[in-house]
Amino acid sequence: MKDFRRLKHFPLGTVRAEGFLREQLLRGKEGMAGHLFELEPGMIADPYLRRTRVPVWSEAHQVGWGAEISGNYWAGYIQHAFVLDDAEMIARATEWVDGMLQMAKPDGYLGAYFKEGDAMSEDYNAQGTACAMRGLLAFYEATGRADVLEAVHRCMLWFCREWAGDRKTCYAGQLIVEPMILCYRYTGDERLVEFAIDYERYLCEHDIFRQSYRVLMSDEYYYNSNHTAGMGLNLRLPALIYSANGERDYLTASERCIEKIRARSGHVGGAPVSVNEYLAPVSGTAEIEYCSFAYYNLSYSYMSAITGEAKYGDYMEELFYNAAQGARKKDEKAIAYLSAPNQLLATDTSANSTDGNMQVYAPCYPVSCCPVNSVAVVPEFVRGLFLHDDAGNLYANAYGPCSLHWGDRRVTEKTLYPFRNRVALEIEGDGEFSVFLKIPAWATGYRIFVDGAEICAQRSALGYAEVRRDFGGKHCLEICFDAKVEVVHVDDRDASNKQPLAFRYGALVFSLQVPERWKPIAGKPVTPLPEGWSWYNVYPDYKQPNTGDYYENVGRRRDAFNWNVALDEALTAAEVTVEEVEGEGYVWEQPRILLHTHCYKAPYACCTYPRKTYEPFGDRQHVTERLPLTLVPYGCTNLRVTYFPRADLDEKK
């Protein structure tokens, strides 16, 4: 078996969440992660086990969507169970896996297409099956059960036979390449790699969506050419093939695609723009589909291992700690299918694209691709925190509270990162090895201490600082990063061309939090929700003026809004102060860090009837008085302003 990865992920369950990451997983167990299969059994619990089907809720073929949605849910659930090390969830995951294996056909097929008349050549047969196979392979990683690997292997060989030659599709079916390569790593079966390479050949000849590895490798980039979330899946496939055959063009294709998306469609918070679900340019209200958080996070995690480059760990942190958190209800019982950096409402009428209700907060919005993918975001991020090489060295690829149990080694990462720029690793080792510490690209400096004594370790070209020691016994390895506030001038020239300002400090993006009023609504779930579950409209909360005259009240609302502000475009980082907040409570509800600066009231930047979030008119805003401005981490918000319009200070003078 060939393996060209520089680094490897640990088996599922080796890295476990601690601190606020564990708290988020616990909330998820009581929330969507632990209950979606009950809330929407027809879409999530049943497609693979009972082979039932719910009514079509769009033009897509219902069995294919059920395959995708159920497969992605259980892949996330299995990882959640083992990263949390929760016996109850592991038992339920085992029930699903055992049920899946019983449904295998004699010829090895293990997907959801089983009734007479099902189009086995349909695009979503391969795509949906791939989602479920990822779940089974994750379970195999955690348990070592040979029957699970054998079942996946037989299913992959079914596709090698039945989808040989040009019997392939070009929208999403190529995702079957991912479990093909993952299965190859365990079996060494070269037929799986040959099929994956042949699929890339097919895509080059049938490239309707501009996603073959040759296009990904080129300078070509077209808005509206492809589904943004789907591109997050497709871009990793060439790199996965490279990991098995070593042909550099495949890896270059994935690398180039990531950089093009980040340059042309990348929000400051790390999320790729998804207007009407397709690739689009940056603007303050350009929406993000929640599926993207899961797909790009995992792609960056794969790229971290394949290339050994620390920058992909930076990308994981940027995405996870900002945009992915800013679209979750903090009790983990609802997410927004679509969200944006500037968002004044999140309701069943506020979305700017696709269906008008897709910004609403819901536990299981039809279609449920985004809710089920939200289940995978946290455990997959935790799994990517540590990597290792073949020599037994440890790599801190991204930072967050966690623990690692690896043979005789025990590592506990104690940190409030990204709310603090200090990370401590308590290591119980088994002799001499190296710990490679990621040095984030934003760090202006760093200091490393071993058992309290400062040491010198240079940042390598790949972005890591190596600390080699005999770690026998107990030791403490600590790294402290220096950071400066960044005032970012957002490049939105291909969209609204407002040239707004945004703020970064360390791994965090900061926003003006808009006060929220949550209103439970019935919503339109496929299956009625039980007591304790709801859809939510989220409105901006402000004190309504009361002058006695209705229209005067309307005119004075702008004085009550906190979100109609603008910034001096010449504002510098020196005019921003950082406050580290001490306290208790959940970090996404009780911000542990704040930024303070100043702004100007821009009374006419927003309409006095809040219905949707619109870009302010004009390239600069009329302003009045100067005001203090306090910013919180993007992930602590659900309504916010992140891209600030520029103040017309010449007019003010």
PDB file of all heavy atoms in Angstrom, residues 413-435:
ATOM      1  N   GLU A 413      -4.484  19.153  26.782  1.00  0.00           N
ATOM      2  CA  GLU A 413      -4.320  20.534  26.336  1.00  0.00           C
ATOM      3  C   GLU A 413      -5.254  21.417  27.150  1.00  0.00           C
ATOM      4  O   GLU A 413      -6.480  21.317  27.034  1.00  0.00           O
ATOM      5  CB  GLU A 413      -4.625  20.661  24.845  1.00  0.00           C
ATOM      6  CG  GLU A 413      -4.396  22.068  24.302  1.00  0.00           C
ATOM      7  CD  GLU A 413      -4.438  22.128  22.792  1.00  0.00           C
ATOM      8  OE1 GLU A 413      -4.120  21.107  22.136  1.00  0.00           O
ATOM      9  OE2 GLU A 413      -4.795  23.203  22.261  1.00  0.00           O
ATOM     10  N   LYS A 414      -4.662  22.268  27.978  1.00  0.00           N
ATOM     11  CA  LYS A 414      -5.433  23.175  28.823  1.00  0.00           C
ATOM     12  C   LYS A 414      -5.318  24.585  28.266  1.00  0.00           C
ATOM     13  O   LYS A 414      -4.214  25.155  28.210  1.00  0.00           O
ATOM     14  CB  LYS A 414      -4.931  23.115  30.269  1.00  0.00           C
ATOM     15  CG  LYS A 414      -5.154  21.751  30.923  1.00  0.00           C
ATOM     16  CD  LYS A 414      -4.813  21.759  32.400  1.00  0.00           C
ATOM     17  CE  LYS A 414      -5.172  20.425  33.049  1.00  0.00           C
ATOM     18  NZ  LYS A 414      -4.872  20.415  34.510  1.00  0.00           N
ATOM     19  N   THR A 415      -6.441  25.129  27.854  1.00  0.00           N
ATOM     20  CA  THR A 415      -6.389  26.427  27.201  1.00  0.00           C
ATOM     21  C   THR A 415      -7.784  27.027  27.096  1.00  0.00           C
ATOM     22  O   THR A 415      -8.782  26.307  27.097  1.00  0.00           O
ATOM     23  CB  THR A 415      -5.781  26.294  25.789  1.00  0.00           C
ATOM     24  OG1 THR A 415      -5.639  27.587  25.220  1.00  0.00           O
ATOM     25  CG2 THR A 415      -6.639  25.435  24.885  1.00  0.00           C
ATOM     26  N   LEU A 416      -7.828  28.349  26.995  1.00  0.00           N
ATOM     27  CA  LEU A 416      -9.039  29.071  26.605  1.00  0.00           C
ATOM     28  C   LEU A 416      -8.893  29.614  25.190  1.00  0.00           C
ATOM     29  O   LEU A 416      -9.649  30.489  24.776  1.00  0.00           O
ATOM     30  CB  LEU A 416      -9.329  30.224  27.569  1.00  0.00           C
ATOM     31  CG  LEU A 416     -10.387  29.971  28.646  1.00  0.00           C
ATOM     32  CD1 LEU A 416     -10.568  31.206  29.501  1.00  0.00           C
ATOM     33  CD2 LEU A 416     -11.722  29.541  28.042  1.00  0.00           C
ATOM     34  N   TYR A 417      -7.899  29.122  24.469  1.00  0.00           N
ATOM     35  CA  TYR A 417      -7.730  29.495  23.071  1.00  0.00           C
ATOM     36  C   TYR A 417      -9.041  29.232  22.334  1.00  0.00           C
ATOM     37  O   TYR A 417      -9.664  28.188  22.562  1.00  0.00           O
ATOM     38  CB  TYR A 417      -6.614  28.643  22.472  1.00  0.00           C
ATOM     39  CG  TYR A 417      -6.188  28.999  21.074  1.00  0.00           C
ATOM     40  CD1 TYR A 417      -5.081  29.804  20.852  1.00  0.00           C
ATOM     41  CD2 TYR A 417      -6.880  28.528  19.968  1.00  0.00           C
ATOM     42  CE1 TYR A 417      -4.668  30.121  19.553  1.00  0.00           C
ATOM     43  CE2 TYR A 417      -6.482  28.848  18.683  1.00  0.00           C
ATOM     44  CZ  TYR A 417      -5.379  29.643  18.480  1.00  0.00           C
ATOM     45  OH  TYR A 417      -4.976  29.968  17.209  1.00  0.00           O
ATOM     46  N   PRO A 418      -9.520  30.132  21.510  1.00  0.00           N
ATOM     47  CA  PRO A 418      -8.898  31.325  20.934  1.00  0.00           C
ATOM     48  C   PRO A 418      -9.166  32.615  21.713  1.00  0.00           C
ATOM     49  O   PRO A 418      -8.822  33.691  21.217  1.00  0.00           O
ATOM     50  CB  PRO A 418      -9.574  31.390  19.566  1.00  0.00           C
ATOM     51  CG  PRO A 418     -10.975  30.947  19.848  1.00  0.00           C
ATOM     52  CD  PRO A 418     -10.837  29.853  20.885  1.00  0.00           C
ATOM     53  N   PHE A 419      -9.776  32.490  22.901  1.00  0.00           N
ATOM     54  CA  PHE A 419     -10.073  33.676  23.707  1.00  0.00           C
ATOM     55  C   PHE A 419      -8.846  34.138  24.487  1.00  0.00           C
ATOM     56  O   PHE A 419      -8.807  35.246  25.017  1.00  0.00           O
ATOM     57  CB  PHE A 419     -11.230  33.371  24.659  1.00  0.00           C
ATOM     58  CG  PHE A 419     -12.409  32.747  23.957  1.00  0.00           C
ATOM     59  CD1 PHE A 419     -12.608  31.375  23.992  1.00  0.00           C
ATOM     60  CD2 PHE A 419     -13.282  33.528  23.230  1.00  0.00           C
ATOM     61  CE1 PHE A 419     -13.670  30.796  23.331  1.00  0.00           C
ATOM     62  CE2 PHE A 419     -14.352  32.955  22.556  1.00  0.00           C
ATOM     63  CZ  PHE A 419     -14.548  31.581  22.603  1.00  0.00           C
ATOM     64  N   ARG A 420      -7.858  33.260  24.570  1.00  0.00           N
ATOM     65  CA  ARG A 420      -6.545  33.590  25.116  1.00  0.00           C
ATOM     66  C   ARG A 420      -5.509  33.003  24.168  1.00  0.00           C
ATOM     67  O   ARG A 420      -5.732  31.935  23.574  1.00  0.00           O
ATOM     68  CB  ARG A 420      -6.344  33.000  26.522  1.00  0.00           C
ATOM     69  CG  ARG A 420      -7.354  33.474  27.556  1.00  0.00           C
ATOM     70  CD  ARG A 420      -7.145  34.930  27.939  1.00  0.00           C
ATOM     71  NE  ARG A 420      -8.032  35.302  29.037  1.00  0.00           N
ATOM     72  CZ  ARG A 420      -9.284  35.767  28.887  1.00  0.00           C
ATOM     73  NH1 ARG A 420      -9.793  35.901  27.658  1.00  0.00           N
ATOM     74  NH2 ARG A 420     -10.022  36.088  29.926  1.00  0.00           N
ATOM     75  N   ASN A 421      -4.377  33.657  24.055  1.00  0.00           N
ATOM     76  CA  ASN A 421      -3.345  33.201  23.130  1.00  0.00           C
ATOM     77  C   ASN A 421      -2.243  32.434  23.857  1.00  0.00           C
ATOM     78  O   ASN A 421      -1.054  32.600  23.582  1.00  0.00           O
ATOM     79  CB  ASN A 421      -2.784  34.396  22.362  1.00  0.00           C
ATOM     80  CG  ASN A 421      -3.823  35.019  21.451  1.00  0.00           C
ATOM     81  OD1 ASN A 421      -4.662  34.321  20.883  1.00  0.00           O
ATOM     82  ND2 ASN A 421      -3.786  36.338  21.323  1.00  0.00           N
ATOM     83  N   ARG A 422      -2.683  31.581  24.779  1.00  0.00           N
ATOM     84  CA  ARG A 422      -1.765  30.755  25.556  1.00  0.00           C
ATOM     85  C   ARG A 422      -2.292  29.325  25.572  1.00  0.00           C
ATOM     86  O   ARG A 422      -3.480  29.088  25.802  1.00  0.00           O
ATOM     87  CB  ARG A 422      -1.655  31.280  26.993  1.00  0.00           C
ATOM     88  CG  ARG A 422      -0.881  30.390  27.943  1.00  0.00           C
ATOM     89  CD  ARG A 422      -0.951  30.922  29.370  1.00  0.00           C
ATOM     90  NE  ARG A 422      -0.357  29.988  30.317  1.00  0.00           N
ATOM     91  CZ  ARG A 422      -0.992  28.953  30.864  1.00  0.00           C
ATOM     92  NH1 ARG A 422      -2.258  28.719  30.549  1.00  0.00           N
ATOM     93  NH2 ARG A 422      -0.377  28.141  31.706  1.00  0.00           N
ATOM     94  N   VAL A 423      -1.392  28.377  25.337  1.00  0.00           N
ATOM     95  CA  VAL A 423      -1.762  26.967  25.309  1.00  0.00           C
ATOM     96  C   VAL A 423      -0.754  26.186  26.159  1.00  0.00           C
ATOM     97  O   VAL A 423       0.461  26.364  26.008  1.00  0.00           O
ATOM     98  CB  VAL A 423      -1.751  26.416  23.870  1.00  0.00           C
ATOM     99  CG1 VAL A 423      -2.059  24.919  23.867  1.00  0.00           C
ATOM    100  CG2 VAL A 423      -2.745  27.166  22.993  1.00  0.00           C
ATOM    101  N   ALA A 424      -1.266  25.340  27.057  1.00  0.00           N
ATOM    102  CA  ALA A 424      -0.399  24.496  27.884  1.00  0.00           C
ATOM    103  C   ALA A 424      -0.705  23.030  27.585  1.00  0.00           C
ATOM    104  O   ALA A 424      -1.867  22.613  27.605  1.00  0.00           O
ATOM    105  CB  ALA A 424      -0.614  24.790  29.365  1.00  0.00           C
ATOM    106  N   LEU A 425       0.346  22.260  27.297  1.00  0.00           N
ATOM    107  CA  LEU A 425       0.217  20.819  27.077  1.00  0.00           C
ATOM    108  C   LEU A 425       0.853  20.090  28.248  1.00  0.00           C
ATOM    109  O   LEU A 425       2.068  20.202  28.471  1.00  0.00           O
ATOM    110  CB  LEU A 425       0.904  20.406  25.779  1.00  0.00           C
ATOM    111  CG  LEU A 425       0.436  21.074  24.487  1.00  0.00           C
ATOM    112  CD1 LEU A 425       1.254  20.560  23.309  1.00  0.00           C
ATOM    113  CD2 LEU A 425      -1.042  20.828  24.252  1.00  0.00           C
ATOM    114  N   GLU A 426       0.042  19.379  29.015  1.00  0.00           N
ATOM    115  CA  GLU A 426       0.557  18.526  30.081  1.00  0.00           C
ATOM    116  C   GLU A 426       0.788  17.141  29.490  1.00  0.00           C
ATOM    117  O   GLU A 426      -0.152  16.483  29.042  1.00  0.00           O
ATOM    118  CB  GLU A 426      -0.429  18.479  31.245  1.00  0.00           C
ATOM    119  CG  GLU A 426      -0.596  19.826  31.929  1.00  0.00           C
ATOM    120  CD  GLU A 426      -1.515  19.753  33.135  1.00  0.00           C
ATOM    121  OE1 GLU A 426      -2.115  18.668  33.365  1.00  0.00           O
ATOM    122  OE2 GLU A 426      -1.644  20.767  33.845  1.00  0.00           O
ATOM    123  N   ILE A 427       2.047  16.707  29.485  1.00  0.00           N
ATOM    124  CA  ILE A 427       2.441  15.502  28.759  1.00  0.00           C
ATOM    125  C   ILE A 427       2.958  14.448  29.727  1.00  0.00           C
ATOM    126  O   ILE A 427       3.848  14.703  30.537  1.00  0.00           O
ATOM    127  CB  ILE A 427       3.537  15.825  27.722  1.00  0.00           C
ATOM    128  CG1 ILE A 427       3.044  16.904  26.757  1.00  0.00           C
ATOM    129  CG2 ILE A 427       3.950  14.566  26.966  1.00  0.00           C
ATOM    130  CD1 ILE A 427       4.114  17.396  25.805  1.00  0.00           C
ATOM    131  N   GLU A 428       2.375  13.274  29.657  1.00  0.00           N
ATOM    132  CA  GLU A 428       2.911  12.091  30.325  1.00  0.00           C
ATOM    133  C   GLU A 428       3.440  11.191  29.219  1.00  0.00           C
ATOM    134  O   GLU A 428       2.671  10.569  28.495  1.00  0.00           O
ATOM    135  CB  GLU A 428       1.833  11.381  31.137  1.00  0.00           C
ATOM    136  CG  GLU A 428       1.284  12.206  32.292  1.00  0.00           C
ATOM    137  CD  GLU A 428       0.251  11.429  33.094  1.00  0.00           C
ATOM    138  OE1 GLU A 428       0.516  10.248  33.388  1.00  0.00           O
ATOM    139  OE2 GLU A 428      -0.809  12.006  33.406  1.00  0.00           O
ATOM    140  N   GLY A 429       4.745  11.158  29.056  1.00  0.00           N
ATOM    141  CA  GLY A 429       5.338  10.537  27.891  1.00  0.00           C
ATOM    142  C   GLY A 429       5.927   9.163  28.133  1.00  0.00           C
ATOM    143  O   GLY A 429       5.831   8.602  29.229  1.00  0.00           O
ATOM    144  N   ASP A 430       6.559   8.662  27.064  1.00  0.00           N
ATOM    145  CA  ASP A 430       7.182   7.342  27.123  1.00  0.00           C
ATOM    146  C   ASP A 430       8.558   7.383  26.484  1.00  0.00           C
ATOM    147  O   ASP A 430       8.965   6.467  25.791  1.00  0.00           O
ATOM    148  CB  ASP A 430       6.296   6.306  26.422  1.00  0.00           C
ATOM    149  CG  ASP A 430       6.008   6.673  24.966  1.00  0.00           C
ATOM    150  OD1 ASP A 430       6.417   7.769  24.532  1.00  0.00           O
ATOM    151  OD2 ASP A 430       5.392   5.852  24.267  1.00  0.00           O
ATOM    152  N   GLY A 431       9.282   8.469  26.688  1.00  0.00           N
ATOM    153  CA  GLY A 431      10.621   8.569  26.139  1.00  0.00           C
ATOM    154  C   GLY A 431      10.773   9.793  25.260  1.00  0.00           C
ATOM    155  O   GLY A 431      10.009  10.750  25.343  1.00  0.00           O
ATOM    156  N   GLU A 432      11.763   9.751  24.393  1.00  0.00           N
ATOM    157  CA  GLU A 432      12.084  10.918  23.571  1.00  0.00           C
ATOM    158  C   GLU A 432      11.244  10.947  22.300  1.00  0.00           C
ATOM    159  O   GLU A 432      11.120   9.951  21.587  1.00  0.00           O
ATOM    160  CB  GLU A 432      13.571  10.907  23.200  1.00  0.00           C
ATOM    161  CG  GLU A 432      14.007  12.142  22.428  1.00  0.00           C
ATOM    162  CD  GLU A 432      15.494  12.163  22.157  1.00  0.00           C
ATOM    163  OE1 GLU A 432      16.222  11.378  22.806  1.00  0.00           O
ATOM    164  OE2 GLU A 432      15.925  12.956  21.299  1.00  0.00           O
ATOM    165  N   PHE A 433      10.657  12.076  22.032  1.00  0.00           N
ATOM    166  CA  PHE A 433       9.954  12.326  20.779  1.00  0.00           C
ATOM    167  C   PHE A 433       9.814  13.833  20.621  1.00  0.00           C
ATOM    168  O   PHE A 433      10.147  14.606  21.522  1.00  0.00           O
ATOM    169  CB  PHE A 433       8.583  11.632  20.729  1.00  0.00           C
ATOM    170  CG  PHE A 433       7.620  12.052  21.802  1.00  0.00           C
ATOM    171  CD1 PHE A 433       6.705  13.081  21.588  1.00  0.00           C
ATOM    172  CD2 PHE A 433       7.596  11.408  23.042  1.00  0.00           C
ATOM    173  CE1 PHE A 433       5.798  13.454  22.566  1.00  0.00           C
ATOM    174  CE2 PHE A 433       6.703  11.768  24.024  1.00  0.00           C
ATOM    175  CZ  PHE A 433       5.792  12.801  23.792  1.00  0.00           C
ATOM    176  N   SER A 434       9.319  14.255  19.470  1.00  0.00           N
ATOM    177  CA  SER A 434       9.156  15.683  19.193  1.00  0.00           C
ATOM    178  C   SER A 434       7.686  16.069  19.246  1.00  0.00           C
ATOM    179  O   SER A 434       6.807  15.296  18.828  1.00  0.00           O
ATOM    180  CB  SER A 434       9.720  16.039  17.817  1.00  0.00           C
ATOM    181  OG  SER A 434      11.118  15.924  17.794  1.00  0.00           O
ATOM    182  N   VAL A 435       7.445  17.268  19.754  1.00  0.00           N
ATOM    183  CA  VAL A 435       6.135  17.898  19.660  1.00  0.00           C
ATOM    184  C   VAL A 435       6.288  19.100  18.736  1.00  0.00           C
ATOM    185  O   VAL A 435       7.121  19.980  18.981  1.00  0.00           O
ATOM    186  CB  VAL A 435       5.616  18.343  21.039  1.00  0.00           C
ATOM    187  CG1 VAL A 435       4.275  19.057  20.883  1.00  0.00           C
ATOM    188  CG2 VAL A 435       5.483  17.144  21.976  1.00  0.00           C
TER     189      VAL A 435
END
